[in-house]
Amino acid sequence: MDHSLDPSGIPERVTRPDRSPLRAITWQSVIGAALISSLVAGAYPYIVLKLGFGPNASVVSAFLGAMFLNVTAYRTRGQNRFLNNVIQTAGTSAASTAFMCVVAAAFGYLDLNDTVEMHLKIEPWPMFLWLTCSGMIGVVFTVIFRRHILDDPRMVFASGVAAAETIEVLDSHPSEARHKMRALGLAALASAAVVWLREGLSWLPTLYLSKPYRMGFEWSFLNIGSGLLVGLNVGLSMLLGTLVTGYIIGPWVIGSGIGDSIVRGQIAPEYWDRCQALVALVKPTRDQALFISQHCGLMQNMHAQKYFPIVVFWVMWPATALMVTATFTTLFMKWRSIMEIFQDLHIERGFREKDIPLRAVAVSAVCLTVLLALIQHAFFQMSYLQTFVAVLASLPLMLIGMRVQGETNIGPVSAMANALQALFAVFWPTHISSNLIAAGIAGNITSQSEGMIQDYKTGRIVGSSPQILTYVQIATVPIGAAAVAIMYPILIDKYGLGGDGLVAPTGLKIANMAVLLSKGVEALPDYALIATIIAAIAGVAVSVVREMSDRAWVGWIPSVTGFGFALILPGELNIPIALGGIAGFVWRRLHRQTYDRYAITVASGMIAGEAVLGGLLIPLLAAVGVHIR
């Protein structure tokens, strides 16, 4: 059976508000939402461009919101959870949009690439309009499938649960939740201490089983806490994906020579000899390092025996096919419940569970899509047909992203963007700019949906109105868009792109994908197409078995989304998640009472401690020139 942390393991704690949820909109929640969303979104581009991924904005926003409300609304402490849910939702929404600085970086890398003819620099104002419009489309689309996703017991949404626990515990009177506050505080302090020892003092190096393939254990309570929430099945599935990549696929790709062909395909022939000379240098100059990052692709990784990024260029194809077909199959087999969603959108189920009417959703989606088509045609010379295709194709990709997020607590934004890039390459193979814009649309819609569904999960536990959370999400999308439009050029002017500056690995991956796909299907790595077909068939077969059979052994079939996503994630992230799932399983078996009472609290503290210190404070200090090492 599946031992994931779901309603069957720990009952879902849905609390009905003791006063009208309209009181969630007060001057404290409005000002707090504006301030905290601006802070989180403003810090996000630097973090994402430096690391390639963003920290847990949901839990960070909930933590900062509690601090703000303890000062501005201290008289109503114990009733501030609805206010903080608004603040937390605002921070998540703005950060989800700010994450799309990776697309700006992709255009930046393409602009530096002398091997392509297309060069496009998006100015701040068009960037703001583009991200605002596409982000709002993601919000509107998510409304449709809210209940379908949240009612699935396999969708844990660990960050949403952690944010709700943080909100409730920090809003409680000390005498009411003394033990939980202590558990949350100790877990958060321990998590922050581990971050400091790892990042600040370098006393906790990553322990590797196979360093070339990044298969190791990173000291991260955030990942362990996520594993504690997502459960044993998903955790072991991600561990299996890491082992397959590190011990089977990776060595085969490198040893068979496929890795060499991948590297050669990333480098223009006229730069090959110079790249070989430069990557052999022990200490290249600043200009040489910049040339390597712009023109030498993955050769530096091959020379340094850092094979994982090279392997990802092969394994991403079957991994994406596995996740896509599995999700589509699951949705197809649940078509009746999906149809009920559309029928029930106009039915009022009490204020707390009231959705936005279907007519309003449809009208908003159409209007925003038309507006997006006009913006992209005016600023990016993208045809109206291309915009409509990109928006429609983003809808199923958004569903895949939400399901992967629900099971693994990691959002596959870049993978979904790459999937739409592949679709565009079929119909418009030579349109590199359109390919990147399409990636931005899919990425922004997926990013918004993943953040928003976490907020809905938090709201369901806290007892907030999903309608209010939707309006808050829409209102704060422009804050994240403004953060990208303003902060990206400032950061690039200060630090530079590539080389010794901001590496922006996700942006580089998207740019490289656009260039690769412009060469046609024949540019795919050897055997990648065959592996993709096999993975697609496997995704369908496993999903059919899991959905149609109720036998106990079915619960032990690996999670397709967890396994597929782990194939393209570094093992340093996957292994701690797996250990967290194992720890939760053992804890539940040994002492069910304390597990039921404290598991969510402890996991939430682990996530919050690292998210606040490692994901916000340390990067902010680095941004102003204070280096902790």
Side-chain angles (χ1 to χ4, degrees):
M1 61 182 296
D2 187 354
H3 293 280
S4 298
L5 187 62
D6 55 32
S8 64
I10 293 181
E12 188 176 10
R13 299 161 302 125
V14 179
T15 58
R16 295 185 177 273
D18 55 4
R19 54 180 183 157
S20 171
L22 284 173
R23 290 293 298 161
I25 305 301
T26 66
W27 71 266
Q28 292 100 328
S29 63
V30 171
I31 293 177
L35 290 176
I36 290 172
S37 62
S38 298
L39 173 63
V40 174
Y44 228 65
Y46 175 83
I47 301 170
V48 172
L49 293 173
K50 184 177 180 64
L51 303 179
F53 61 91
N56 192 307
S58 183
V59 176
V60 170
S61 300
F63 189 85
L64 295 177
M67 295 175 61
F68 176 82
L69 292 173
N70 283 340
V71 175
T72 61
Y74 63 92
R75 292 183 179 180
T76 56
R77 182 171 179 176
Q79 301 178 11
N80 290 340
R81 59 195 63 186
F82 310 118
L83 280 67
N84 199 4
N85 197 188
V86 168
I87 295 174
Q88 170 257 333
T89 297
T92 305
S93 173
S96 298
T97 308
F99 178 84
M100 297 316 298
C101 62
V102 298
V103 177
F107 275 103
Y109 272 117
L110 211 60
D111 191 50
L112 296 172
N113 193 331
D114 297 329
T115 65
V116 297
E117 297 180 358
M118 199 289 299
H119 298 283
L120 175 64
K121 181 179 181 180
I122 304 181
E123 298 297 329
W125 182 242
M127 176 71 74
F128 170 77
L129 293 176
W130 176 51
L131 292 181
T132 296
C133 193
S134 57
M136 288 184 177
I137 292 174
V139 174
V140 172
F141 279 172
T142 309
V143 172
I144 301 174
F145 297 100
R146 179 185 65 84
R147 288 198 301 110
H148 166 71
I149 296 294
L150 293 185
D151 288 345
D152 189 334
R154 286 178 293 184
M155 301 294 105
V156 178
F157 293 108
S159 291
V161 174
E165 185 72 5
T166 301
I167 289 172
E168 290 190 336
V169 171
L170 295 181
D171 185 47
S172 301
H173 193 278
S175 62
E176 297 175 0
R178 182 172 61 254
H179 296 296
K180 280 198 169 185
M181 290 185 70
R182 182 181 301 162
L184 182 75
L186 289 175
L189 286 174
S191 181
V194 168
V195 173
W196 184 261
L197 292 174
R198 186 187 73 218
E199 300 293 336
L201 302 178
S202 300
W203 286 358
L204 295 177
T206 301
L207 306 177
Y208 284 106
L209 297 173
S210 178
K211 191 171 183 178
Y213 302 103
R214 297 188 64 179
M215 190 167 62
F217 173 79
E218 181 183 69
W219 297 90
S220 171
F221 275 19
L222 185 150
N223 291 335
I224 294 175
S226 297
L228 189 62
L229 291 174
V230 301
L232 183 65
N233 182 275
V234 174
L236 291 180
S237 300
M238 297 184 75
L239 176 62
L240 178 62
T242 289
L243 295 176
V244 169
T245 297
Y247 284 128
I248 299 176
I249 296 178
W252 172 72
V253 167
I254 301 300
S256 65
I258 295 176
D260 291 326
S261 65
I262 292 174
V263 172
R264 185 173 289 275
Q266 296 288 311
I267 303 173
E270 60 268 28
Y271 295 134
W272 181 262
D273 292 337
R274 187 178 178 189
C275 284
Q276 284 188 311
L278 290 180
V279 298
L281 298 177
V282 178
K283 293 183 178 181
T285 65
R286 182 180 180 86
D287 291 340
Q288 290 171 337
L290 184 61
F291 182 91
I292 291 172
S293 67
Q294 293 174 1
H295 303 292
C296 300
L298 297 170
M299 183 184 287
Q300 191 174 28
N301 296 89
M302 180 66 81
H303 184 268
Q305 295 186 348
K306 297 179 179 179
Y307 300 139
F308 183 76
I310 302 171
V311 175
V312 167
F313 262 87
W314 189 93
V315 78
M316 65 181 294
W317 301 102
T320 302
L322 184 68
M323 292 186 288
V324 168
T325 56
T327 300
F328 282 170
T329 302
T330 300
L331 293 174
F332 177 77
M333 297 183 70
K334 294 182 177 181
W335 66 271
R336 288 188 177 88
S337 63
I338 294 177
M339 292 303 299
E340 291 175 359
I341 293 173
F342 288 94
Q343 296 171 2
D344 293 345
L345 275 175
H346 67 282
I347 300 176
E348 295 193 8
R349 298 175 176 272
F351 191 87
R352 187 180 62 84
E353 283 293 323
K354 192 166 109 178
D355 284 301
I356 295 177
L358 178 59
R359 180 178 300 177
V361 171
V363 171
S364 299
V366 170
C367 291
L368 288 169
T369 301
V370 171
L371 179 59
L372 181 64
L374 294 173
I375 292 171
Q376 295 187 157
H377 182 72
F379 293 113
F380 313 136
Q381 292 74 53
M382 191 170 180
S383 71
Y384 299 121
L385 176 61
Q386 288 174 326
T387 296
F388 295 139
V389 170
V391 171
L392 289 176
S394 295
L395 182 58
L397 295 177
M398 176 197 77
L399 288 170
I400 296 168
M402 286 192 292
R403 294 189 69 87
V404 173
Q405 175 95 351
E407 288 199 46
T408 68
N409 199 37
I410 302 174
V413 175
S414 63
M416 297 303 97
N418 294 150
L420 190 52
Q421 285 183 281
L423 175 65
F424 258 61
V426 174
F427 297 103
W428 299 283
T430 61
H431 293 208
I432 298 180
S433 62
S434 298
N435 191 292
L436 285 182
I437 294 295
I441 295 173
N444 203 11
I445 289 176
T446 302
S447 181
Q448 277 296 329
S449 66
E450 291 170 3
M452 188 174 182
I453 200 67
Q454 295 275 20
D455 296 333
Y456 280 148
K457 179 69 172 184
T458 302
R460 174 174 283 197
I461 296 174
V462 172
S464 299
S465 162
Q467 192 178 63
I468 288 180
L469 298 184
T470 302
Y471 293 146
V472 171
Q473 192 96 1
I474 291 175
T476 48
V477 166
I479 294 177
V484 177
I486 295 171
M487 293 303 300
Y488 177 78
I490 293 175
L491 291 171
I492 298 305
D493 287 343
K494 179 175 177 58
Y495 299 104
L497 181 64
D500 294 331
L502 298 173
V503 180
T506 305
L508 179 60
K509 176 186 172 186
I510 294 173
N512 287 340
M513 180 64 64
V515 175
L516 171 67
L517 292 174
S518 67
K519 302 175 183 177
V521 178
E522 62 274 9
L524 290 178
D526 294 340
Y527 304 107
L529 182 59
I530 297 175
T532 299
I533 296 173
I534 295 173
I537 296 173
V540 173
V542 173
S543 296
V544 169
V545 172
R546 288 184 66 121
E547 293 297 328
M548 295 188 66
S549 177
D550 57 357
R551 295 179 179 272
W553 58 267
V554 173
W556 288 98
I557 295 178
S559 163
V560 176
T561 52
F563 173 78
F565 201 33
L567 291 174
I568 58 177
L569 280 180
E572 304 142 348
L573 303 180
N574 300 329
I575 291 177
I577 291 176
L579 293 178
I582 295 171
F585 174 79
V586 173
W587 183 4
R588 184 179 177 183
R589 284 299 183 93
L590 294 179
H591 207 287
R592 178 64 181 266
Q593 183 177 0
T594 58
Y595 175 84
D596 288 350
R597 186 175 183 183
Y598 292 113
I600 293 177
T601 304
V602 171
S604 301
M606 289 180 172
I607 295 172
E610 181 165 342
V612 173
L613 181 62
L616 185 63
L617 296 182
I618 290 178
L620 283 177
L621 289 174
V624 297
V626 179
H627 300 284
I628 60 175
R629 289 188 178 180

